[in-house]
Amino acid sequence: DFVPICEIMYCKANLSYTEVVTLNHNNILSSKSISDFEESLTNCSFFKISKSALVNTKFIHSYNKKNNQILMKNKELLEVARRRRTDFLEMISSV
């Protein structure tokens, strides 16, 4: 399937596959690794919040510092890795 980049909300690693969640709530399972998606989407406002999640920053609704979680616009909660927290906070403060 071909999906416009602007419709990808986030990508989540699932073993050796990647689940791509789109704006219209279609989940696409890809045989590409999350690192392949990271390489392709780096210049497109995507940020890797953990080893297993790559989010489109345009679809972040809010961030809870206490729980270290992102609430996406589709009401999905995603955990930000402790090691990525500082980089994530710097990135959202510059947006």
Side-chain angles (χ1 to χ4, degrees):
D1 291 342
F2 291 98
V3 177
I5 292 173
C6 62
E7 291 185 14
I8 299 174
M9 294 184 75
Y10 60 91
C11 301
K12 230 176 177 181
N14 186 356
L15 299 173
S16 60
Y17 297 95
T18 301
E19 180 182 3
V20 179
V21 179
T22 63
L23 188 58
N24 58 6
H25 306 292
N26 286 342
N27 293 1
I28 300 166
L29 195 59
S30 172
S31 59
K32 288 187 173 193
S33 69
I34 192 98
S35 57
D36 290 336
F37 280 96
E38 182 181 15
E39 286 176 25
S40 302
L41 300 172
T42 345
N43 299 329
C44 305
S45 73
F46 279 80
F47 187 82
K48 193 169 185 180
I49 59 170
S50 67
K51 285 193 305 185
S52 61
L54 180 68
V55 298
N56 186 338
T57 57
K58 294 177 182 177
F59 293 105
I60 295 175
H61 181 267
S62 62
Y63 172 67
N64 185 329
K65 281 187 180 182
K66 184 178 177 182
N67 297 332
N68 204 32
Q69 292 179 326
I70 294 171
L71 177 64
M72 299 300 287
K73 289 190 177 181
N74 67 345
K75 306 296 185 222
E76 182 85 24
L77 280 173
L78 300 173
E79 191 84 23
V80 177
R82 286 181 296 199
R83 299 174 107 187
R84 303 290 294 158
R85 182 180 184 172
T86 305
D87 294 337
F88 176 73
L89 291 174
E90 286 175 13
M91 184 272 308
I92 59 171
S93 67
S94 67
V95 172

